[in-house]
């Protein structure tokens, strides 16, 4: 396989697939990173196998607040003290925090070792684990330091998603809605009918696979986000602003909820700038309010939202960069709105939240 390709495996028998993938590596050079949460809930599934007992396990604190240079330093130290080399392999067992942090540790130690991601949340399976973005938060800024480093393989073990609570499933599902909007109306409408309470069903697993395929295809075409990968930012310019505001105001929301609400505003902009169908906007807004609830904004919050959007790291120069659509599956990159259109977007959003 080439440098920029990843094997995506759907694994029911996780230990067998891990053993198979590890065959290419010296047993003394096999490492696994997990957090305090996945050490309890997911690691035992792997460690059922006697043949995996030799793996050197690194545990870190769970939570995005620990995706930092201190945790990274601990991982580098562990590698040094345990004789890791450029030929080592690191398995990252966890959500996006672990695949980002472990992916970056693997990208940088001795200028890069291989890694395999085993995402344990729906959000990380359909987003963070695929496409090779790695990094840490720094100086109060999210993902400020990082590298593109494609994992050798991503192992999707859907039984891990059964133990997720409803909010975390709903959060991951927002990225799937985004994939539906970016790809085709049929997939989107199947998503709108999907029951998230039954992740064990074939329909759910097929939808997860479809989403991963969409993300994989886009990130393989443009691994370093020079062009089409920007499509994956749909819903995120406004969504990140909601997420940051929610943390600033001590009413934190999960990432996917912020993205879902961001989709409402950005699809509104798409109707104004790109001719996106108004009926689809209304259908999506109604669905999102029903499934994700409401995110209230006051007049003073609007100024903060504008500030956050102006400081989005995707912008170039003064203008706020959006990915929009002219229809489901028809992507318009690098769209810029006038101040009045941004105001109209927030007015529409607030109207939806009151309905
Ligand atoms: N999360 C968007 C990307 O991987 O490009």
């Amino acid at each position: 396989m080439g440098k920029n390709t990843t094997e995506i495996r759907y694994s029911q028998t996780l230990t067998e697939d891990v053993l198979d993938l590890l065959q290419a590596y010296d047993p003394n050079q096999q490492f696994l990173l997990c957090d305090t949460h996945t050490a309890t809930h997911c690691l035992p599934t792997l460690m059922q196998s006697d043949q995996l007992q030799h793996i050197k396990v690194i545990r870190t604190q769970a939570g995005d607040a620990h995706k930092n240079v201190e945790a990274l330093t601990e991982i580098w130290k562990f590698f040094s003290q345990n004789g890791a080399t450029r030929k080592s392999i690191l398995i990252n067992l966890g959500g996006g925090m672990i695949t980002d942090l472990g992916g970056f540790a693997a990208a940088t130690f001795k200028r890069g070792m291989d890694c395999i991601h085993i995402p344990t949340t729906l959000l990380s399976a359909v987003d963070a684990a695929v496409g090779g973005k790695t990094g840490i938060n720094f100086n109060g800024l999210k993902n400020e330091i990082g590298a593109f480093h494609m994992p050798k393989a991503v192992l999707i073990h859907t039984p891990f998603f059964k133990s997720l609570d409803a909010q975390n499933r709903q959060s991951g599902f927002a990225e799937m809605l985004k994939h539906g909007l970016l790809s085709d109306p049929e997939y989107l409408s199947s998503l709108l009918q999907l029951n998230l309470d039954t992740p064990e069903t074939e329909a759910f697993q097929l939808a997860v696979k479809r989403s991963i395929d969409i993300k994989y295809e886009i990130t393989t075409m443009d691994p370093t986000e020079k062009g089409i990968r920007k499509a994956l930012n749909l819903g995120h310019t406004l969504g990140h602003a909601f997420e940051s505001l929610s943390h600033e105001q001590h009413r934190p929301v999960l990432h996917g909820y912020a993205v879902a609400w961001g989709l409402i505003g950005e699809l509104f902009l798409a109707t104004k700038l790109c001719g996106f169908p108004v009926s689809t906007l209304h259908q999506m807004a109604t669905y999102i309010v029903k499934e994700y609830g409401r995110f209230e904004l006051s007049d003073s919050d609007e100024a903060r939202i504008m500030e956050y959007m102006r400081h989005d790291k995707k912008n170039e120069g003064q203008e706020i960069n959006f990915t929009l659509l002219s229809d489901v599956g028809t992507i318009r990159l690098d769209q810029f709105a006038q101040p009045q259109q941004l105001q109209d977007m927030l007015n529409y959003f607030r109207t939806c939240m009151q309905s």
Side-chain angles (χ1 to χ4, degrees):
M1 279 200 158
K3 190 171 180 295
N4 279 330
T5 53
T6 298
E7 180 186 355
I8 311 278
R9 264 198 209 193
Y10 294 84
S11 175
Q12 288 306 319
T13 50
L14 192 59
T15 51
E16 281 173 28
D17 284 299
V18 170
L19 280 166
D20 182 42
L21 289 167
L22 289 182
Q23 272 186 45
Y25 300 88
D26 177 341
N28 289 316
Q29 293 296 333
Q30 299 176 3
F31 295 82
L32 181 145
L33 176 70
C34 57
D35 62 30
T36 40
H37 185 77
T38 55
T40 308
H41 298 287
C42 307
L43 189 59
T45 307
L46 269 184
M47 290 303 169
Q48 280 163 8
S49 166
D50 291 343
Q51 291 161 282
L52 291 173
Q53 301 302 319
H54 63 280
I55 295 182
K56 297 175 181 119
V57 176
I58 317 163
R59 286 180 181 74
T60 191
Q61 293 297 312
D64 199 66
H66 299 284
K67 199 174 89 176
N68 56 23
V69 73
E70 287 77 23
L72 179 67
T73 306
E74 289 305 311
I75 301 168
W76 283 334
K77 268 194 207 150
F78 189 96
F79 286 156
S80 269
Q81 287 160 359
N82 288 277
T85 72
R86 204 178 275 182
K87 294 216 163 96
S88 300
I89 176 82
L90 176 66
I91 300 173
N92 295 306
L93 178 69
M97 179 267 181
I98 285 292
T99 59
D100 281 7
L101 174 67
F104 189 52
T108 46
F109 190 78
K110 306 260 187 200
R111 298 205 180 91
M113 63 165 76
D114 288 349
C115 65
I116 295 171
H117 296 329
I118 309 181
T120 55
T121 64
L122 180 61
L123 182 64
S124 58
V126 298
D127 193 18
V130 180
K133 277 189 182 174
T134 72
I136 56 167
N137 305 328
F138 184 69
N139 209 15
L141 298 165
K142 277 180 71 76
N143 302 325
E144 182 70 351
I145 311 285
F148 290 102
H149 186 61
M150 286 290 174
K152 278 279 153 200
V154 177
L155 279 182
I156 307 292
H157 182 63
T158 51
F160 282 148
F161 309 151
K162 269 192 229 157
S163 59
L164 288 178
D165 60 38
Q167 283 75 25
N168 273 291
R169 277 205 292 266
Q170 198 72 55
S171 176
F173 187 68
E175 296 288 353
M176 295 170 68
L177 287 177
K178 177 190 81 180
H179 294 143
L181 285 159
L182 291 173
S183 60
D184 76 272
E186 251 175 66
Y187 176 49
L188 181 63
S189 84
S190 72
L191 287 175
L192 299 182
Q193 284 155 36
L194 201 63
N195 181 355
L196 298 198
D197 296 328
T198 53
E200 65 285 2
T201 58
E202 198 189 352
F204 189 91
Q205 301 198 9
L206 283 175
V208 170
K209 182 170 185 316
R210 183 77 204 277
S211 262
I212 292 173
D213 286 347
I214 293 165
K215 170 124 202 216
Y216 183 72
E217 194 184 332
I218 292 175
T219 54
T220 307
M221 277 192 286
D222 177 23
T224 55
E225 202 168 315
K226 300 282 188 294
I228 190 63
R229 187 170 184 159
K230 292 187 202 170
L232 297 169
N233 295 329
L234 179 68
H236 282 65
T237 303
L238 182 56
H240 278 150
F242 288 154
E243 195 175 1
S244 300
L245 184 79
S246 81
H247 286 275
E248 178 184 293
Q249 297 182 337
H250 308 291
R251 49 167 176 151
V253 298
L254 293 174
H255 174 74
Y257 280 68
V259 169
W261 292 318
L263 285 172
I264 296 180
E266 294 190 15
L267 291 180
F268 171 85
L269 266 191
T271 64
K272 300 293 164 197
L273 272 70
C274 308
F276 186 79
V278 174
S279 57
T280 313
L281 164 67
H282 290 159
Q283 183 191 21
M284 291 304 298
T286 306
Y287 177 88
I288 290 168
V289 172
K290 179 163 164 277
E291 301 299 332
Y292 290 83
R294 293 173 165 78
F295 186 68
E296 306 285 345
L297 288 184
S298 66
D299 291 344
S300 59
D301 292 341
E302 288 192 358
R304 289 298 289 146
I305 292 292
M306 292 292 189
E307 273 296 293
Y308 278 121
M309 288 197 298
R310 259 184 233 114
H311 289 105
D312 191 298
K313 61 164 131 13
K314 299 183 295 293
N315 297 338
E316 287 161 29
Q318 292 303 304
E319 293 199 285
I320 302 169
N321 184 300
F322 291 93
T323 290
L324 300 177
L325 303 171
S326 57
D327 205 342
V328 175
T330 312
I331 298 160
R332 295 277 177 264
L333 300 179
D334 298 322
Q335 298 295 311
F336 303 94
Q338 299 301 316
Q340 186 56 50
Q341 290 167 322
L342 294 174
Q343 185 58 56
D344 292 346
M345 168 178 84
L346 292 181
N347 291 348
Y348 175 77
F349 180 79
R350 289 179 74 180
T351 309
C352 290
M353 294 300 125
Q354 283 151 15
S355 60

